[in-house]
Amino acid sequence: MSGAAGGHLTVVGLGPGPDCWLTPEAADAVAAATDLVGYQPYVARCPERPGQARHASDNRVELDRARHALRLAAAGRQVAVVSGGDPGIFAMAAAVYEAIEVDGLPAGVEVRVLPGISAMQAAAARLGAPLGHDFCAISLSDNLKPWALVERRLTAAANGDFVVALYNPASKARPDRIHQAFALLRGLKAGTTPVAFARAVGRPDERIVVTTLGDADPGVADMATLVLIGSSETRWFSAGGRDVLLTPRSVAAARGDLAEAS
Amino acid sequence: MSGAAGGHLTVVGLGPGPDCWLTPEAADAVAAATDLVGYQPYVARCPERPGQARHASDNRVELDRARHALRLAAAGRQVAVVSGGDPGIFAMAAAVYEAIEVDGLPAGVEVRVLPGISAMQAAAARLGAPLGHDFCAISLSDNLKPWALVERRLTAAANGDFVVALYNPASKARPDRIHQAFALLRGLKAGTTPVAFARAVGRPDERIVVTTLGDADPGVADMATLVLIGSSETRWFSAGGRDVLLTPRSVAAARGDLAEAS
C-alpha cells in the first residue's frame, strides 16, 4: 500500500492557551495545514482559514483521532493534529505513535512532533519557581493504566522527595481519584507541604488556589487544573505583596552558605 | 529603601535555541529590555539592539547574576534575565527567587517568569513520544545538593518505573556522576531499557545517540546533553525508516485492547 506523495502529519503543541505562549513553529504548522484534527476546544483555538478542513472530535477518542489523521495524511493532506500544552506530555504524540506502531506508517507520510509549553510550566511561572529542583509528572487518569500503578508512582515520588505535578486530576467519571491521591500522600508527606491548584493558567478563567497538603480541598481540582505538591524543601514566602512558591536549587544543608554569602 | 519606580525583572526562557521555539512573549521581553543579564551563551543568542546593555556572566554564578539583575531593576531598569530552555526547570527562576527570599524584593520592582520549551521537550519531540506517560526530571549536578539525594531520587524513579530525564549529566568538575548514575540504574532496571542521549537538540551541533541501559556509554553525555531513560513500557520501533521512541499511554495490560481495536 503506497499513499499519495507528500502527506504530512504534524502533532502540534498549542501551549496552555494564549497566543503569547504559542511557538512560531506551531503557529506556522497550524496556518499551513489543509486539515486540523483534534479535541474540539483545541481546534476552536485555531483561527478559521478558507479551504482548511476542521475535524473536531470528542475527548477520550485519541486513538481514533490519530488513525483519522493518518488516513488523511496517507491521502496526501497536510494534517495538523492540535493538542493543548505539549503534545509529548500526556497528549496526542503518544496516541499518534501508538497508532503507527500497530497499523504501520502509510508510505510517503512524514510525521513530526512540535513541542509546546505544558501546563506545569505555565503554573510554575505564575507561582514563582516550584519546579526549581527535581520533580515528577504523573497523570491521575486510570483509563489506560491500573490505579495500583498510580499509587506505586505517588509513593515513589514521596519516597524520592520529588516535587509532584499531577495532570488529569479529576474527571466526571472518576471524581474520587484526586481524593484518593491526597489521602495517600498525606500518609507519606508533611501536612505543611505547600500545594497549589493552578486552573487554566493563561486563559480568562485562570484560578489559582494555594494551600497545604493538610488543608487542601482536592475537590477544587477539575480536568483543567494542574496540581503541584511540594518537596520537603518547597516553601512560600511573600515578596512585593505576592506569595511566591519556591523549590530552591539547594537543599537545607546548603542554605546556611546562601545566607552567609548575602 | 525604596527603588526607582517602574523597574522590572523578567526571567525569560529562550527555549532550546532556534527561533522557531522562542515564544512571542519571550521575544517581546528580550526586545523591550534595557538590560540583558545571563550566562554568556544565552545573552549571545539575543540580537544586539542600540541602547540595550548586555551583562554576560560565567556559568555557576547564578546567585550573583540574580542579585545584579535585582540591583538594576531597583534602579528602574527593564531587566531581562535570559535563560536557556524553561527558566523554571533547573534554571534562573529559582536563583532569582532565592535572592529575593534572602535579600527582599526592592520596592517598586515587578518580577515575572516567562516559560520556555525545555530540553526534555525538544528531545522528546525529536525522538517520538518518550514522555507520553509519567516521568521524572532529575538534575545530576551536586553543586548544591548532596550526591546521596541524587541517588535516593534515582532509586525512587526506578522503583516507580518512571521515565527519567537527566539534566546536567556531566561537568568538567564531575565527569564521573553520569557513570555513577548509570551504575545505580543498571542495578535496578532491565539492561534492555531504551536510553537516548540527546545533545543540543535544535542547534547546529545537535547529535542524538539511541541505545539501551546495558549498552550505553555514559561518557557521550556532556553538559549540553539531555539523557532519557525509559520505563519498563518504553520501546523503540521503526516507522518510515526512522527509529521512534515511545512510552505508550497504556500499560501492558491494556495493550491487548489496543491491538484488538485495530
Side-chain angles (χ1 to χ4, degrees):
Chain A
M1 56 163 207
S2 94
H8 285 78
L9 194 165
T10 308
V11 191
V12 181
L14 299 178
D19 286 344
C20 68
W21 286 339
L22 182 67
T23 68
E25 183 183 55
D28 289 350
V30 168
T34 60
D35 296 76
L36 298 185
V37 173
Y39 177 39
Q40 190 275 328
Y42 302 137
V43 172
R45 270 197 217 163
C46 303
E48 299 214 22
R49 284 176 183 270
Q52 189 179 58
R54 300 162 76 88
H55 311 270
S57 50
D58 202 0
N59 205 356
R60 296 187 60 175
V61 292
E62 291 87 356
L63 206 62
D64 294 341
R65 194 186 296 145
R67 286 174 164 148
H68 181 208
L70 281 164
R71 284 194 299 274
L72 290 167
R77 311 285 292 178
Q78 313 301 314
V79 185
V81 175
V82 294
S83 196
D86 185 325
I89 297 179
F90 307 121
M92 282 301 295
V96 165
Y97 281 114
E98 286 166 34
I100 293 171
E101 187 185 32
V102 173
D103 302 341
L105 182 65
V109 170
E110 282 186 35
V111 181
R112 286 194 309 155
V113 176
L114 313 186
I117 303 292
S118 190
M120 66 181 169
Q121 299 171 285
R126 277 288 195 276
L127 290 161
L131 301 179
H133 214 302
D134 308 324
F135 63 92
C136 297
I138 301 175
S139 169
L140 284 196
S141 170
D142 64 347
N143 292 333
L144 293 165
K145 64 180 169 186
W147 181 251
L149 181 59
V150 178
E151 292 184 325
R152 173 180 168 191
R153 287 182 172 156
L154 290 169
T155 302
N159 288 341
D161 195 24
F162 285 98
V163 173
V164 178
L166 296 179
Y167 282 75
N168 305 319
S171 69
K172 281 178 189 169
R174 303 289 178 95
D176 50 332
R177 290 312 195 193
I178 184 70
H179 294 273
Q180 293 170 23
F182 268 68
L184 186 153
L185 290 173
R186 282 173 175 146
L188 298 169
K189 295 171 70 83
T192 52
T193 304
V195 165
F197 297 93
R199 183 182 188 286
V201 173
R203 300 200 292 277
D205 50 344
E206 173 174 326
R207 191 187 62 201
I208 292 182
V209 174
V210 299
T211 178
T212 63
L213 186 59
D215 289 340
D217 169 15
V220 304
D222 64 12
M223 282 305 266
T225 303
L226 188 285
V227 185
L228 280 172
I229 299 159
S231 74
S232 66
E233 295 290 330
T234 307
R235 51 193 182 252
W236 294 105
F237 68 93
S238 182
R242 182 167 81 85
D243 281 336
V244 172
L245 184 59
L246 170 66
T247 308
R249 301 161 305 145
S250 53
V251 299
R255 284 220 297 280
D257 303 337
L258 179 63
E260 228 164 42
S262 69
Chain B
M1 55 164 204
S2 96
H8 285 77
L9 193 165
T10 308
V11 189
V12 181
L14 298 179
D19 286 345
C20 69
W21 286 339
L22 181 67
T23 68
E25 183 183 57
D28 289 351
V30 167
T34 60
D35 295 74
L36 298 185
V37 172
Y39 177 38
Q40 190 275 329
Y42 302 137
V43 172
R45 270 197 217 163
C46 304
E48 300 214 21
R49 285 177 182 269
Q52 189 180 57
R54 299 163 76 89
H55 311 270
S57 50
D58 202 358
N59 206 354
R60 296 184 61 172
V61 292
E62 290 86 358
L63 205 63
D64 292 344
R65 194 186 296 144
R67 286 174 164 149
H68 181 206
L70 281 165
R71 283 194 301 273
L72 289 167
R77 311 284 292 178
Q78 312 301 313
V79 185
V81 174
V82 293
S83 195
D86 185 324
I89 297 178
F90 306 123
M92 282 302 295
V96 164
Y97 282 114
E98 287 167 33
I100 292 170
E101 187 185 31
V102 174
D103 302 342
L105 181 66
V109 170
E110 281 187 35
V111 180
R112 286 194 309 155
V113 176
L114 312 186
I117 304 291
S118 189
M120 66 181 170
Q121 298 171 285
R126 278 288 194 276
L127 291 160
L131 301 180
H133 212 302
D134 308 325
F135 64 91
C136 298
I138 301 176
S139 169
L140 285 195
S141 170
D142 63 345
N143 292 334
L144 293 165
K145 65 180 166 184
W147 181 251
L149 180 59
V150 178
E151 291 183 325
R152 173 180 168 192
R153 287 182 174 157
L154 290 169
T155 302
N159 288 341
D161 195 24
F162 285 98
V163 174
V164 179
L166 296 179
Y167 282 73
N168 306 318
S171 70
K172 282 178 188 168
R174 302 289 177 95
D176 51 330
R177 289 311 193 195
I178 183 69
H179 294 273
Q180 294 171 24
F182 268 67
L184 186 152
L185 291 173
R186 281 173 177 146
L188 298 170
K189 293 170 73 80
T192 52
T193 304
V195 165
F197 297 93
R199 182 181 187 286
V201 173
R203 302 199 291 276
D205 51 343
E206 171 174 328
R207 191 186 61 202
I208 292 183
V209 174
V210 298
T211 179
T212 64
L213 185 59
D215 289 341
D217 170 15
V220 305
D222 64 10
M223 282 305 266
T225 303
L226 189 284
V227 185
L228 279 173
I229 299 158
S231 74
S232 66
E233 296 290 330
T234 307
R235 52 193 181 251
W236 295 104
F237 68 95
S238 181
R242 183 166 82 85
D243 282 336
V244 173
L245 185 59
L246 171 65
T247 307
R249 301 160 306 145
S250 53
V251 299
R255 284 218 297 282
D257 302 337
L258 179 61
E260 230 164 43
S262 71

